[in-house]
Amino acid sequence: MAEPSWSETLDRIAPAVVQIRVDAPRPFDTEWENTTEATGFVVDAEKGLILTNRHVVYPGPVVAEAVFQNAEEVDLTPVYRDPVHDFGFFRYDPEDLRHIDPVSIPLAPEAAAVGQDIRVVGNDAGERLSILAGTLARLDRDAPNYGRGRYNDFNTFYFQAASGTSGGSSGSPVIDIQGRALALNAAGRMDASSSYFLPLQRAIRVLDRLRNGEDVTRGTLQTTFVRQSYDELRRLGLDEVEETAARLNFPDYNGMLVVDRVVDGGPANDLLQPGDILLRINGEMVASFVPLAEILDDSVGKSLQLDIRRGDETRQVDVTVGDLMAITPDRYLEVGGAVLNPLSYQQARHFNRPPGAVYVASTGFMMGRSGVPRGAIIRSLDGETTETLDEFRQVFEGLSDGARVPVRYTRIDEPYREVLATLTVDRTWFPARDCRMESGTGRWPCEELAAAPARNEIKPGSVRFGDYGDARAQRLSRSMVWVEFDMPFRVEGMDGVGFTGTGIVVDAAQGLVLTDRAAVPSRMGDLRLTFASSLEVPGEVVFLHPLNNLALVQYDPALLVGSEVRPVTFNPRLPGSGDDVWVVGKRPDQSLVSRRTEASGLDPLRLSLSSSFRFRDVNLETLSVVNAPSDVGGVLADRHGRVQALWSNYGKQGARGDAFKGIPAEVIQDMLARYRNGEGIHSLEVEFLLMPMSSARKLGLPEAWASRLADLDDRPRGVLSVERIVAGAPAEDYLESGDLLLAVNGTPVNDFRRLNQASQAESVDLSILRNGEVKALNVPTQRMDGRGVERVIHWAGAVLHEPHRAMAAQRGIPRRGVFVSNFSYGSPASRYGLNPGRRIIEVDGQSVSDLDEFLEQVAGREHRSPIRLRLEDWDGTTDVVTLKLDKHFWPTEEIQREDGEWVRRER
């Protein structure tokens, strides 16, 4: 019978090769949450079994679907992922295929030979079907090493070929000209055009058991072996008799297996040592990985007699084979956004400790802000040992929301050193649940943890303020506060979750502290205030200035007993250029700094637009100084320690040059007065630009108005010009870009301070110049309460809230629809392109103008049901995306401010 051509073979097997779309919704073990694509191939069309890589089936929760060559799409269920080797199986329902009849690709690793031509068929670099040619160069290459702390295959050889594969080709079959799968594509080196393939002997055993409905047993000694050549074996102590026997039994081999690593607490602990040469198992000589694996997998719970060579001595040891499946994690805890799972055998090898410890797969909100890194092992919580997830859960369930407790952990790079951190317990922002894999379904049903006990009453404390040689530092030290704010979710365009800065006490009786919006960018989060670097108290955000870089927070003064906390004294007089001023504030280490410098000027603030629609200060003139410290936030003070400006951080707003600017005391006093009177902030909702007088004259500015404006100041200033108008503001009906502002309420105005003060009314009379003509307009203002975003929806893995002001202010985007603030990898939002910065304006053809309408439209949808969304971008372009809902891993949740508390509930 003539050998088939490559064309014939590929035409026959190609329908069995599928594109796999993978969403890993939770970090787990060695893997991150992820949205990716890979390849698999049908190995049993009757039972719907697909073979692919372990890192595609994923060790933890996974949602996947296969797309066949004819674009038919089927859901996949993970049925096996190997604990060690890089292969796994999905199952699909063959009845779901209507228009294609794929063949079953047979597995034939024994047919592989050096020099053999092969084809790698798969989804290479995102291509639906790609065929790469290659030649097998080695059949005994070491398994690829991806680095410590990551998944690594071991106790196996790999094939190597000259064939450059890339992203998406994972799981591709390595085909011979007969159409048989010799191996599974697993990894490659683009710089060397080399690909590495996993032999399939162990996959065949698993496939047979899956076909027969049998449990897959996997045995382990928790020992890593490596193949060493005879020259090295002789140096390790192999004598001539054993070498001769090995060469006679295995003439194709050039070495034997040697113990490389033994996991502490495993079956072989204290029995085997690195450097031991494996000679025989139960009297049979073993010199390669496949026979070793066959013996172990068939001997779970049984005792084996191992003959080993240690130095110049041959020994016999009896070892009981462990159950590898029993130490493979199938459970995780979600607490405070963190994901914890039992330490796997994979990671136990890196930590050199027994599997089962509490492993941090993802730090999330709660552990991330406490400095606990991903990959840590939690040793104790609140003084209680936590060797297992059950022990951790028991301790955690007894902790109240907001409790501050010690946590001890070790890191993968320092496994013998315990690190102590302080953990702030979160039971508000994220659910707390215990999730376990459900065999055969691919689901991970979760059990809610017990409700948190009542919050512990915060005990008052006292602080002692230090003595400082500088009079201004001495006076202001009693008013300086270190501010820490942690955002659980990215909202309002912010690009981070942890923020710090300096605040000043402005009302000690009411516990009011003023800071900037670099330290407190949103109302949604946890706030902590530290006094004198010694006492930390919780706080609450009470006011966010909608226009300027100012935030007002509050603490309970009763928590500071006998402490001489004092409010600052303001001096609204602006320092002139060259006047002495003192920068007094705190560095990131909370040390107090006082530096004498001189004012360099009061200039209009000019900031670039934000690509993420975060807050941006406008219509403000700020103070700058000469040679200010680069890392100190605080105040600009006069020689008596009176505050002339808040030294605010503008680094996150894209300030050029110095990141810190001084917000004048008069602006602050106006805001405080309006807050105390419950008046809110009125705004024309117009961004103005200070135009040079010469440019204004070119636009037809009458000489009389030029003279009146010039008389307002000692130095030439210019004319305020309309730069942009907030979308949806009343001013849109009255003003146009390029209008020149001449007067407010009959009084000439050419600076932001007078403009903002005059705008604090329901409407204002404006005199403007447009097209060379002076016009009189009565323009309504808009009242803003300074609350910010107070409601967030988690839906399909996206963080949604109503469009915030910064979008309308900076890009003229109408505040309609639902704003996509962020998404999680491994979610439908990530898979189908529900990207941050876009707005949902329609659901299945029905328009949605706000969160309530959106929730009404998506209510009652079934798991995996399709939904069609129309999205609008910042530039007005629209797009339609369709996604499949995942109600198991991504249920709809709402977080809202109610009666002074943040409340989370499922919808």
Side-chain angles (χ1 to χ4, degrees), residues 219-396:
T220 180
L221 301 180
Q222 295 188 35
T223 301
T224 304
F225 292 89
V226 294
R227 170 76 72 82
Q228 294 286 9
S229 60
Y230 284 116
D231 57 341
E232 175 64 21
L233 293 171
R234 285 190 289 271
R235 289 191 289 272
L236 288 172
L238 183 67
D239 63 14
E240 186 173 344
V241 173
E242 294 292 1
E243 180 179 342
T244 300
R247 288 182 181 274
L248 287 174
N249 276 278
F250 309 108
D252 294 333
Y253 297 172
N254 62 0
M256 302 176 72
L257 298 182
V258 175
V259 174
D260 180 61
R261 184 180 304 174
V262 182
V263 173
D264 186 29
N269 190 38
D270 296 329
L271 297 175
L272 299 179
Q273 296 179 6
D276 287 349
I277 303 169
L278 179 64
L279 304 175
R280 296 173 182 82
I281 300 179
N282 289 346
E284 295 292 328
M285 184 162 277
V286 175
S288 64
F289 293 113
V290 172
L292 172 63
E294 289 174 348
I295 294 170
L296 295 179
D297 289 348
D298 293 337
S299 304
V300 175
K302 299 178 182 178
S303 179
L304 299 177
Q305 185 182 78
L306 273 61
D307 292 358
I308 60 172
R309 182 76 177 183
R310 182 177 298 166
D312 58 0
E313 180 183 1
T314 298
R315 299 187 178 193
Q316 286 188 340
V317 297
D318 294 324
V319 58
T320 301
V321 178
D323 186 349
L324 181 55
M325 305 307 287
I327 60 172
T328 299
D330 59 357
R331 173 190 179 193
Y332 65 90
L333 291 181
E334 276 189 309
V335 287
V339 175
L340 314 175
N341 62 254
L343 184 70
S344 67
Y345 178 29
Q346 280 283 339
Q347 294 290 47
R349 298 169 59 243
H350 299 298
F351 280 96
N352 192 32
R353 58 170 296 127
V358 180
Y359 175 80
V360 180
S362 173
T363 62
F365 172 68
M366 183 180 72
M367 292 196 171
R369 66 178 176 178
S370 301
V372 179
R374 181 181 188 269
I377 290 180
I378 305 300
R379 305 301 298 272
S380 69
L381 180 66
D382 196 24
E384 299 289 335
T385 300
T386 55
E387 290 295 331
T388 64
L389 282 190
D390 285 330
E391 291 179 354
F392 183 94
R393 172 176 173 171
Q394 183 177 6
V395 177
F396 188 81

Side-chain angles (χ1 to χ4, degrees), residues 791-809:
R791 186 187 184 196
V792 159
I793 302 295
H794 292 274
W795 181 79
V799 178
L800 310 176
H801 59 72
E802 293 190 351
H804 53 296
R805 181 184 177 277
M807 296 177 56

Side-chain angles (χ1 to χ4, degrees), residues 66 80 118 182 237 386 403 445 492 503 519 524 526 569 585 610 758 764 808 814 817 890-891:
Y80 181 80
I118 50 94
L182 308 180
T386 55
E492 300 185 69
M524 183 169 284
D526 290 340
T569 300
S610 166
V764 291
W890 305 104

Side-chain angles (χ1 to χ4, degrees), residues 11-30:
D11 284 345
R12 175 167 50 86
I13 65 98
V17 180
V18 299
Q19 176 192 27
I20 301 178
R21 298 170 180 162
V22 181
D23 291 310
R26 298 292 185 275
F28 194 86
D29 192 21
T30 57

Side-chain angles (χ1 to χ4, degrees), residues 43 112 116-117 127 138 140 214-215 227 244 300 318 415 445 544 622 722 817:
V43 291
Q116 185 174 7
D117 287 340
E127 297 293 334
R138 289 184 62 182
D140 60 352
E214 301 173 355
D215 291 336
R227 170 76 72 82
T244 300
V300 175
D318 294 324
L544 296 168
T622 58
V722 174

Side-chain angles (χ1 to χ4, degrees), residues 570-586:
F570 288 103
N571 176 7
R573 187 190 71 83
L574 292 171
S577 180
D579 287 352
D580 285 343
V581 293
W582 280 258
V583 178
V584 183
K586 286 180 176 286

